[in-house]
Amino acid sequence: MIGIQACLTANPTKTPFFNNLPKRDNSHVATLKEVISCTSDYDPDALPVARANEVIRGFVKPVSGVEKLPVRAALGRVLARDIVSPIDVPSHDNSAMDGYAVRNDDLGVHMPVTLTEIGTAYAGREFTGEVGRGECVRVMTGAVMPKNTDTVIIQEAVTADGNRISIPLGQEPGQNRRFAGEDLQKGKPALRAGALLRPAELGLIASLGIGEVDVRRKLKVAFFSTGDELVSVGKKLKASEVYDSNRYTLWGMLQRLGCETIDLGVVRDHPKKLEAAFRKAAASADAVVTSGGVSVGEADFTRQMMAKLGEVVFWKIAMRPGRPMAFGRIRARGKAAYLFGLPGNPVAVMVTFYHFVRGALLTMMGRSDTDLPLLRAKSETVMRKKPGRTEYQRGILEWKNGEWSVRLTGAQGSGILRSMSEANCFVVLAHEQGGVKAGDYVDVMVMDGLV
């Protein structure tokens, strides 16, 4: 990505239409041709997954538009600007435990000591006196440390006889004390722009006394299915027809990402109808996601139509499932939208969405965390594979005998949607990797919270 951006900076675009689009960070809007020219080993007929993602991430840019929301309305949104802490959190040194606040210089080095208790400090009600030599104060968790004290002895460790408190050896200076600003320091960034606002982030913002936040506007994504054989749910099937499931999985995946969705239904394989759908989508959305119509033999008139609407490339990606894919940018009515043309098979739609479209849409949202982590698991089964493509097998991940173990869901055909429903992970077999034996360790991408 750094190489692509450096290459683009050195080679500014000369494409008139895209030069007129809103620019970001005072840089030009790159053409797809420029991005591809900066990508090594580019081959549209055998493009590795990593190279396809390199092109996509180098091409898409975050959308503009910010709105201010109450903190409780910002859950699941993307922070638009850094939040700088206006206060120290905590605001004062305080006790981390119930116990006794003491002066460290009173603690015994060679023998236990006995101190005199002179009062109590509560959370929200501090002890206002000073603590002299030989004295201590009873403190509750969260209470401000009394003046002159720096150490807390937990209540379970002491022996009390009236106001005489005996403290054993082995105490550490400064133990069980939280420092002012230990969590957040005044004037320092508490959250960076691009952060997803989860429950923890909402609580952190509230702890600063902030009631409203600036978030990126929601991403608008139009989607539709293509194909003469598709029938919407609720209608009776005829011979050779199938129900359109892809729009439902696409809708669900887009909703999970927090997108504002525009469902354009089923579009028949007719050039004029497809062109009208693409123009409507480009004029109303930031991105367009379609399923079907990008395979060999189907793409001829689609390719011609895309040439009219913008700049789009057709790839044969070295992956399974999900080989055919179209990507680019189209325009209509003075607006432009990124296009992701996915295969028609149900599993291939979901796999290509999660491994290409998801990260691109998160980038457009301004998210800073776009990549999905992998973990290692022991394979319970043999997995056949030839080097030269990336494969995404659907698996069931379980904790067995002190380690993660994975087995396949069964048949892995790209039309078997049941394999996605039964799975809780992808087994990711890398581009150069060969077959897997039972007992080998493989990379696994967990689906929880993803699908």
Side-chain angles (χ1 to χ4, degrees):
M1 290 298 295
I2 293 175
I4 282 183
Q5 295 304 329
C7 176
L8 293 177
T9 300
N11 299 281
T13 184
K14 296 180 180 179
T15 304
F17 172 80
F18 293 111
N19 262 345
N20 293 329
L21 293 175
K23 295 176 176 57
R24 179 174 175 267
D25 297 333
N26 297 317
S27 62
H28 72 275
V29 177
T31 66
L32 184 54
K33 182 178 179 180
E34 284 181 306
V35 174
I36 289 172
S37 70
C38 291
T39 304
S40 61
D41 302 325
Y42 178 81
D43 180 359
D45 291 322
L47 190 62
V49 169
R51 290 289 179 264
N53 266 319
E54 188 179 3
V55 172
I56 293 170
R57 302 295 182 86
F59 190 54
V60 301
K61 295 292 182 289
V63 299
S64 59
V66 174
E67 56 182 328
K68 188 180 290 292
L69 293 178
V71 171
R72 285 189 175 179
L75 181 65
R77 301 295 291 274
V78 180
L79 189 64
R81 299 185 177 92
D82 291 353
I83 291 181
V84 177
S85 179
I87 59 174
D88 283 331
V89 180
S91 56
H92 299 85
D93 289 5
N94 67 83
S95 175
M97 303 287 287
D98 290 344
Y100 293 85
V102 305
R103 300 166 58 123
N104 179 60
D105 54 11
D106 272 338
L107 296 179
V109 177
H110 302 294
M111 64 182 64
V113 297
T114 299
L115 306 176
T116 301
E117 180 185 338
I118 61 172
T120 302
Y122 298 92
R125 181 152 48 96
E126 64 182 298
F127 177 81
T128 57
E130 293 191 18
V131 179
R133 294 297 300 271
E135 297 176 337
C136 65
V137 172
R138 179 89 165 95
V139 292
M140 305 302 170
T141 302
V144 173
M145 292 291 290
K147 191 172 183 179
N148 298 333
T149 66
D150 55 13
T151 301
V152 174
I153 314 301
I154 62 173
Q155 61 184 16
E156 294 86 355
V158 308
T159 301
D161 183 8
N163 68 344
R164 301 293 290 166
I165 308 300
S166 296
I167 300 173
L169 292 173
Q171 310 305 316
E172 296 291 333
Q175 68 185 21
N176 301 318
R177 174 182 60 162
R178 301 190 191 111
F179 290 94
E182 183 177 293
D183 187 5
L184 299 168
Q185 292 184 355
K186 182 178 180 179
K188 297 292 183 66
L191 287 173
R192 294 289 188 182
L196 175 66
L197 297 181
R198 303 166 301 177
E201 283 73 23
L202 298 191
L204 187 152
I205 294 168
S207 76
L208 301 176
I210 297 173
E212 293 183 323
V213 290
D214 291 327
V215 298
R216 293 262 186 181
R217 71 166 175 84
K218 281 194 172 186
L219 197 68
K220 295 181 180 179
V221 182
F223 65 102
F224 58 87
S225 300
T226 65
D228 291 336
E229 78 283 8
L230 299 179
V231 175
S232 296
V233 172
K235 295 183 179 180
K236 188 174 181 179
L237 289 179
K238 298 178 182 178
S240 76
E241 291 182 335
V242 295
Y243 285 118
D244 175 24
S245 64
N246 288 341
R247 274 173 44 239
Y248 288 83
T249 52
L250 282 173
W251 177 87
M253 293 184 291
L254 292 168
Q255 287 292 313
R256 277 288 184 91
L257 292 182
C259 300
E260 181 180 326
T261 57
I262 304 171
D263 185 353
L264 297 182
V266 175
V267 180
R268 300 304 171 193
D269 289 327
H270 187 280
K272 289 186 177 179
K273 290 180 179 180
L274 277 170
E275 181 174 345
F278 277 115
R279 287 187 179 279
K280 182 177 180 180
S284 58
D286 304 300
V288 184
V289 183
T290 69
S291 65
V294 294
S295 298
V296 175
E298 296 176 323
D300 291 341
F301 66 79
T302 307
R303 190 186 304 270
Q304 296 171 7
M305 178 180 59
M306 291 298 100
K308 291 173 56 178
L309 300 181
E311 48 176 352
V312 178
V313 293
F314 287 78
W315 291 330
K316 294 176 183 176
I317 300 178
M319 66 182 292
R320 181 182 181 186
R323 191 179 184 212
M325 182 175 172
F327 170 70
R329 184 165 48 193
I330 57 176
R331 62 184 183 269
R333 304 173 197 171
K335 297 182 179 180
Y338 295 104
L339 169 67
F340 303 89
L342 309 184
N345 284 321
V347 176
V349 166
M350 298 191 75
V351 171
T352 50
F353 182 95
Y354 283 124
H355 297 286
F356 297 109
V357 185
R358 175 190 175 276
L361 296 183
L362 292 181
T363 298
M364 294 175 67
M365 293 177 191
R367 284 269 293 272
S368 56
D369 55 331
T370 59
D371 294 325
L372 294 168
L374 298 175
L375 60 83
R376 298 287 283 175
K378 180 185 286 187
S379 175
E380 297 181 16
T381 57
V382 172
M383 301 181 194
R384 296 180 179 178
K385 180 184 180 296
K386 295 181 180 179
R389 68 183 181 195
T390 304
E391 292 193 9
Y392 299 95
Q393 309 273 11
R394 278 74 70 200
I396 298 172
L397 183 68
E398 295 178 302
W399 183 257
K400 292 183 178 180
N401 302 318
E403 63 179 348
W404 289 110
S405 179
V406 66
R407 68 182 189 277
L408 300 183
T409 57
Q412 296 288 300
S414 61
I416 303 175
L417 192 54
R418 186 185 69 251
S419 68
M420 288 294 292
S421 178
E422 294 176 350
N424 63 3
C425 70
F426 290 113
V427 179
V428 183
L429 304 178
H431 187 83
E432 298 300 336
Q433 185 174 350
V436 174
K437 299 187 295 291
D440 287 350
Y441 287 85
V442 293
D443 287 331
V444 170
M445 184 178 291
V446 180
M447 290 182 180
D448 185 34
L450 181 64
V451 298

